[in-house]
Amino acid sequence: MRDPKNDPKPVKPAAQSSPLILDIDDFKGDFSFDALFGNLVNEQLPAFRLEDLEAEDSLPNGHVTNKFVGSQQGASSPLFPEVEKLLSLFKDSCKELVELRKQIDGRLLNLKKDVAVQDNKHRKTLTELEKGVDGLFESFARLDSRISSVGQTAAKIGDHLQSADSQRETASQTIELIKYLMEFNSSPGDLMELSPLFSDDSRVAEAASIAQKLRTFAEEDIGRLSSAVGNAAASRGLEVAVANLQDYCNELENRLISRFDSASQKRELTTMAECAKILSQFNRGTSAMQHYVATRPMFIDVEVMNADTRLVLGDQAVQASPSDVASGLSSLYKEITDTVRKEAATITAVFPSPSEVMSILVQRVLEQRITALLDKLLMKPSLVNLPSMGEGGLLLYLRMLAVAYEKTRELATDLRTVGCGDLDVEGLTESLFSSHKDEYLEYEQAALRQLYKVKMEELRAEGQISDSSGSLGRSKGASVAAASSQQQISVTVVTEFVRWNEEAISRCNLFCSQPATLATHVKAVFTCLLDQVSQYIADGLERARDSLTEAANLRERFVLGTSVSRRVAAAAASAAEAAAAAGESSFRSFMVAVQRSGSSVAIIQQYFANSISRLLLPVDGAHAASCEEMATAMSSAEAAAYKGLQQCIETVMAEVERLLSAEQKATDYRTSDDNLVPDHRATNACTRVVAYLSRVLESAFTALEGLNKQAFLTELGNRLHKVLLNHWQKFTFNPSGGLRLKRDITDYGDFVRSFNAPSVDEKFELLGIMANVFIVAPESLASLFEGTPSIRKDAQRFVQLRDDYKSAKLASKLSSLWN
């Protein structure tokens, strides 16, 4: 049966004479059950038309009817009359399918049997093939073993042949060498009977090679024969040959060098290369390399050396500055680098070992040309007789050294880039400065000391004042003030010290490559700065103290007795005012000095934190040691500041006592009863003292900070309290005077409150309470002290100053209370 899709085969019903026949071919290929089924039943079913279905489903009036309605009407006729035909068809089809399955099963059984037979035959064939392959492998293994054996035998034969050929060649060369050696073993110095080989210029390379071999052979043989007994004559004969060979080699080497020089002048690089190659057989060509380098114009031309000096140092009559030297060295070293680069191109084209020649060339440049320049540039000054600052001092030498060292290191780097073989160009550069670097730290410290000394002389010259005696009045006080102002501490000067030190530290960084060595140098240089600043501040504070001392001396000169004339008293008062003015000026000057000292110390501390501390870390304990040195160095300045501040307090208190003595009148605290309206104003003495303190302490408030300010003002407040207590002991008080005293105490208390010293505020508050002893009635004194027993001791003295102390018999009334 063919493909039911493409050519469906008609199936006849079982009732017909022709039975249904299904073929196995019907199930091959793209089998479709739907197609097979359609081919079986299509002839039994009536033709189906879509028009009949639509006609049956629609009525003439347009209504739809059910297609099964008519079936109920004709119930007697069968609904599917083809069913019987299909059933018989399906039965026949099943029978044929069963038969087809039996046929297929039979065929499959036969195929299995055939496959089993073929599989047995195939297995037998594979077994036979495996046996054949194993035999073949064994044959190959035997063949490979045989080939290896034959190869080893052939290699041994080849080695023997090669060894024999080598021995033959060696023997042949030895015979030739012996013949040539016999020629050289003639009478000493006789080279006229040599073979043409040794005189033919076209065979110079061969002659040089043979001559070197002969020398080696003869020298080795001399050593061997001299160790044996009874061969002294043979040894002496070989020595003659060696001497003649040496003479010949020298003559040949000179001839080649002469030819090399001639070719060099003509720039015949090919000839130069040939000569250099031949000369490399004589001491590895060392003589040729050194000769080439030595004949370079920059090493033999004196004018080149002079030009180097002029380029760097300029006119010898004028001292070159470090900046000019740096510019000159940059130009010169660039020229040298360019020259070496040009020579490198020639050396590479000529010499078999250009790196060795470059090593010799660069070494010669540094040891001859650079050293000659540095000797003229860096003339080490004496540390005993220092050069004057007019000549640049030690600082000029150090700056020149730094410039030369930095630029020469840059040259070494450039030469390394151009090429210098195995030469340690950096190490050689360091060796050029070794003598300078060994003593560098001593020179750096000496330079800093010299700069400080010159600066101090300069400051003393600027602050020089005449020491004329003058009058004992205002002119002397003006002189003291002028001296104090002109010799004042300057933060600018301290900044200049730091700038010197920064420059020195930068040179330490330049010269010291090892962190530990750098830390040691930095610590030493920073110590110089500490010494300078400490000395400068201490001297400045001492000068400021001198002005305070001079002002004190002026005050003491005008202390008068009680029995003096009015004229003398007036002159003394005028002089005392001048001394007071000098004291006030000296006070301000010292406070300025203290303020600038603090600013200077802050600059040093900031410089240490920013620039020094990190450089000291590589050495254990260096940072802590420097901090301790810093504290120790400033201790002398702190001592001078402390003494000066004490003198400042003495100066202020002396003026306060003078003002109180001059301005306070007995009637200030014992007013007459005629005044109906009491005077609540502060006394003139109080006003003058407060005004003076406000004016003079303004500089102290600005100059002092922190604990220093608090301690100073506390001490000043305590001294003022004591002076006022002693001062008021000189007066007698009535109730109206007590009120004025209370007003004075209030003004004093208001002023000292700006000190921010609680202990001083408390003392003045107690003074205000104690002043009440002059105001209250005698019978109320006992109750006054009950609330504040701490003032009882001072109150006893104050009570005795009441004008009614005796008349009111207060002593007897209070004795029972206080005892």
Side-chain angles (χ1 to χ4, degrees), residues 698-715:
E698 182 179 356
S699 59
F701 281 103
T702 304
L704 300 177
E705 295 179 352
L707 296 177
N708 294 330
K709 181 178 181 180
Q710 184 178 7
F712 175 79
L713 294 176
T714 300
E715 178 66 17

Side-chain angles (χ1 to χ4, degrees), residues 450-744:
Q450 183 185 31
L451 288 170
Y452 178 78
K453 180 180 178 181
V454 172
K455 186 64 178 180
M456 293 302 100
E457 292 175 352
E458 177 185 338
L459 293 176
R460 280 193 292 271
E462 292 176 355
Q464 190 68 35
I465 54 176
S466 61
D467 195 16
S468 58
S469 58
S471 63
L472 295 180
R474 296 183 179 273
S475 61
K476 188 62 178 179
S479 298
V480 173
S484 177
S485 62
Q486 290 185 7
Q487 299 179 6
Q488 188 58 271
I489 295 173
S490 172
V491 177
T492 304
V493 173
V494 175
T495 305
E496 189 173 0
F497 295 164
V498 174
R499 188 171 65 251
W500 298 342
N501 207 260
E502 285 178 336
E503 182 180 343
I505 294 297
S506 67
R507 284 191 289 268
C508 289
N509 277 297
L510 179 64
F511 292 129
C512 302
S513 57
Q514 298 298 326
T517 305
L518 175 61
T520 303
H521 283 55
V522 167
K523 184 175 180 296
V525 171
F526 181 67
T527 301
C528 289
L529 175 63
L530 292 179
D531 294 340
Q532 292 173 356
V533 175
S534 173
Q535 185 66 38
Y536 177 69
I537 292 177
D539 291 346
L541 291 173
E542 288 295 337
R543 289 193 301 272
R545 282 188 58 219
D546 291 341
S547 65
L548 289 170
T549 303
E550 183 64 26
N553 294 335
L554 289 176
R555 288 195 304 271
E556 292 177 359
R557 292 178 187 177
F558 306 113
V559 176
L560 301 177
T562 56
S563 58
V564 293
S565 64
R566 183 177 299 178
R567 179 179 179 184
V568 173
S574 177
E577 290 182 0
E584 184 174 344
S585 176
S586 301
F587 180 92
R588 289 196 180 94
S589 296
F590 188 83
M591 287 300 169
V592 171
V594 171
Q595 182 182 19
R596 294 181 179 178
S597 298
S599 300
S600 300
V601 172
I603 290 174
I604 300 303
Q605 292 173 339
Q606 187 69 26
Y607 170 63
F608 177 80
N610 294 341
S611 303
I612 302 299
S613 59
R614 60 183 177 82
L615 300 176
L616 300 178
L617 295 178
V619 177
D620 294 337
H623 186 277
S626 293
C627 292
E628 185 176 352
E629 286 183 5
M630 199 159 32
T632 303
M634 298 306 166
S635 61
S636 60
E638 291 176 355
Y642 176 77
K643 294 178 181 178
L645 291 174
Q646 291 292 335
Q647 287 182 277
C648 285
I649 293 176
E650 296 293 339
T651 299
V652 171
M653 289 299 101
E655 179 61 14
V656 168
E657 291 177 351
R658 189 189 73 82
L659 289 174
L660 290 173
S661 176
E663 300 296 334
Q664 198 81 68
K665 298 179 176 58
T667 57
D668 289 342
Y669 300 122
R670 194 176 181 182
T671 58
S672 61
D673 296 334
D674 298 337
N675 293 334
L676 298 178
V677 180
D679 191 355
H680 296 290
R681 296 174 301 172
T683 63
N684 187 49
C686 174
T687 304
R688 290 286 302 275
V689 169
V690 171
Y692 166 74
L693 290 174
S694 300
R695 183 176 68 252
V696 76
L697 291 182
E698 182 179 356
S699 59
F701 281 103
T702 304
L704 300 177
E705 295 179 352
L707 296 177
N708 294 330
K709 181 178 181 180
Q710 184 178 7
F712 175 79
L713 294 176
T714 300
E715 178 66 17
L716 184 65
N718 291 332
R719 290 288 301 276
L720 178 62
H721 175 266
K722 184 177 181 181
V723 166
L724 290 174
L725 279 177
N726 294 333
H727 170 69
W728 288 328
Q729 294 293 325
K730 303 173 184 178
F731 299 92
T732 303
F733 299 83
N734 61 10
S736 298
L739 291 174
R740 295 203 72 183
L741 175 63
K742 196 172 181 65
R743 175 57 190 270
D744 285 354

